[in-house]
Amino acid sequence: MKIAVAGAGAFGTGLAIALAANGPVTLWARDAKAATKMQESRENAARLPDLIIPENVTVTSDLSEVFAADTILLAIPAQKAGAWLAEHAAELAGKRLVACCKGIDQATLRGPVAQIENHVPDAVAAMLTGPSFAADIARHLPTALTLACKDNDEGAYLQACLSTPTLRLYLSHDVVGAELGGALKNVIAIACGVCMGAGFGESARAAVITRGFAEMRRIGAALGADPETLTGLSGFGDLALTCTSDASRNYRFGLSVGAGKEFDSSTTVEGAATAVSVTNLAEKHNLDLPICRVVADLSSGKIDPETALATLLARPLRKEQ
């Protein structure tokens, strides 16, 4: 199997470093200067400083080298993935395409695998998701992820080829559940960050995690996800990690919002865009997702943390479910 990773951000670079344990990997960076610098220095200083890129990872800005692979991992931001797939649909036809981005597209309200199926219908589409940070993967620390694929044989093949001694992949056929878990945990992580940044305390964060998980299950049921998927690695596992660690970009973004501080605009925060998408999905399916709605309003600057808290506390008392 020839493997390429499209997207040389932190997660794409981390995956390329990890997968190099199995053989040669091509890592594509959009910026030619950045690709050349990474290839020569053997480091992604901007995203994963002090981590060496193995010699069998070729960093390039030449897409033809990516298209020469039969398996391509898409580590492109979720809001840009659809346009990238549409632009290169002809070259991607018949490939194995593994989405490694987490989010729901604002324009189409589709997850990453649905985007692949829409733009490249004859490709094998899969989703790699779960509790993981790029630096942990790159350092070969033990990590367990979900690999979701509708095709049993192709899923098993990808599971075998993309697993390493420290990267353990668990196979699932519930693509919808895997997409939703990875996308929605980022939204809840922002809410948890806001709680901590605004000084609301650990008890408030625990409540947000718990009620946020209920919202994840609610929309999962509406869209046909297997409830078991959301209690696994790609759902609750990823939620627990992202909502409690400063290494999470979405959590750090929430911390900044809650504390009224500026946040690095060059850092991708998938949860902010996904919150808007989820709110639109909730309206479409007549679902009550108050935390997701509040995060959407917070991220767009429509309300402040105090108003957000007041909004949630003002909700009617009812039976927990």
Side-chain angles (χ1 to χ4, degrees):
M1 174 191 283
K2 292 183 179 180
I3 296 176
V5 179
F11 200 68
T13 302
L15 283 172
I17 292 173
L19 293 172
N22 293 345
V25 178
T26 298
L27 175 62
W28 176 76
R30 183 183 299 274
D31 186 293
K33 291 183 179 179
T36 299
K37 185 175 182 180
M38 289 171 62
Q39 176 68 11
E40 293 175 350
S41 68
R42 312 309 303 170
E43 181 186 23
N44 187 340
R47 301 301 183 191
L48 287 179
D50 303 323
L51 287 169
I52 301 301
I53 299 174
E55 291 298 327
N56 63 342
V57 174
T58 300
V59 187
T60 181
S61 61
D62 184 353
L63 274 172
S64 67
E65 296 187 48
V66 174
F67 300 144
D70 51 22
T71 297
I72 303 172
L73 280 65
L74 305 178
I76 298 166
Q79 300 303 322
K80 298 179 179 179
W84 194 87
L85 288 164
E87 182 180 357
H88 305 294
E91 294 87 353
L92 297 171
K95 305 288 186 182
R96 296 181 182 90
L97 302 179
V98 183
C100 303
C101 48
K102 301 174 181 179
I104 298 174
D105 181 66
Q106 285 189 340
T108 64
L109 302 185
R110 293 190 180 104
V113 173
Q115 294 270 52
I116 294 172
E117 293 172 340
N118 180 60
H119 294 294
V120 196
D122 59 348
V124 174
M127 179 88 192
L128 185 63
T129 184
S132 57
F133 289 136
D136 290 349
I137 291 176
R139 291 190 177 99
H140 303 287
L141 298 177
T143 304
L145 299 177
T146 295
L147 177 71
C149 184
K150 295 177 182 177
D151 186 306
N152 294 346
D153 293 337
E154 290 287 357
Y157 178 77
L158 286 168
Q159 180 186 34
C161 293
L162 299 179
S163 294
T164 75
T166 55
L167 185 61
R168 186 175 180 85
L169 305 187
Y170 287 84
L171 190 59
S172 171
H173 307 305
D174 180 19
V175 170
V176 173
E179 284 182 316
L180 288 174
L184 293 170
K185 60 91 183 181
N186 284 334
V187 179
I188 308 306
I190 292 175
C192 287
V194 172
C195 275
M196 301 308 293
F200 297 155
E202 298 279 0
S203 298
R205 175 165 61 178
V208 170
I209 292 173
T210 305
R211 298 314 305 160
F213 184 52
E215 292 190 18
M216 289 171 60
R217 290 185 297 169
R218 202 173 300 149
I219 192 168
L223 298 181
D226 184 341
E228 293 296 319
T229 303
L230 293 176
T231 63
L233 289 167
S234 60
F236 185 76
D238 211 356
L239 179 71
L241 177 68
T242 312
C243 291
T244 58
S245 174
D246 288 346
S248 163
R249 293 168 296 179
N250 291 277
Y251 179 71
R252 292 201 310 274
F253 173 73
L255 280 173
S256 297
V257 173
K261 298 179 179 179
E262 293 293 324
F263 187 76
D264 182 3
S265 59
S266 68
T267 301
T268 301
V269 182
E270 296 283 22
T274 295
V276 177
S277 301
V278 172
T279 300
N280 291 334
L281 275 173
E283 292 177 359
K284 182 179 179 180
H285 293 275
N286 195 29
L287 297 172
D288 184 26
L289 305 179
I291 295 175
C292 291
R293 185 175 65 252
V294 161
V295 171
D297 289 342
L298 275 170
S299 300
S300 61
K302 293 180 180 179
I303 59 174
D304 57 30
E306 288 73 21
T307 303
L309 179 63
T311 299
L312 292 174
L313 292 178
R315 289 177 55 78
L317 298 175
R318 58 181 178 82
K319 182 179 178 182
E320 182 178 25
Q321 56 183 354

